Amino acid sequence: MFVLARDGIARLPAYDAAAPLASGDLIRVLPEVETAPLDIFLVHTKRIGPSARLLRDFLLQTVRQNERAGRGRA
């Protein structure tokens, strides 16, 4: 990311910013600014292949973990 090279600022999703924020490689410059949550929909047929099933299960698990941790949606 160009922001990690200190070449500017960016609006990043929480899942992209979490690790660099925790390590100190990234700083939050406008902490008072909150963006609205973004709804994401996964649409598939009744028959879902193994790769799509893995993705679906991962996304559902991540959303549930974030909700339990009080971080809203992923």
Side-chain angles (χ1 to χ4, degrees), residues 3 11 13 22-23 27-28 37 40 42 47-48 50 56 65 74:
V3 294
R11 179 178 146 199
S23 70
I27 59 167
R28 191 165 186 180
I40 298 174
L42 177 65
R47 295 188 65 171
I48 182 172
R56 179 200 63 196
Q65 286 174 346

Side-chain angles (χ1 to χ4, degrees), residues 40-45 48 52-57 59-60:
I40 298 174
F41 299 90
L42 177 65
V43 180
H44 59 81
T45 62
I48 182 172
R53 185 177 297 108
L54 283 172
L55 174 62
R56 179 200 63 196
D57 294 347
L59 292 172
L60 287 172

Side-chain angles (χ1 to χ4, degrees), residues 1-4 8-18 20-21 25-28 33 35:
M1 284 189 271
F2 68 92
V3 294
L4 293 177
I9 64 173
R11 179 178 146 199
L12 300 172
Y15 58 84
D16 276 343
L21 282 169
D25 291 332
L26 193 64
I27 59 167
R28 191 165 186 180
V33 175
T35 57

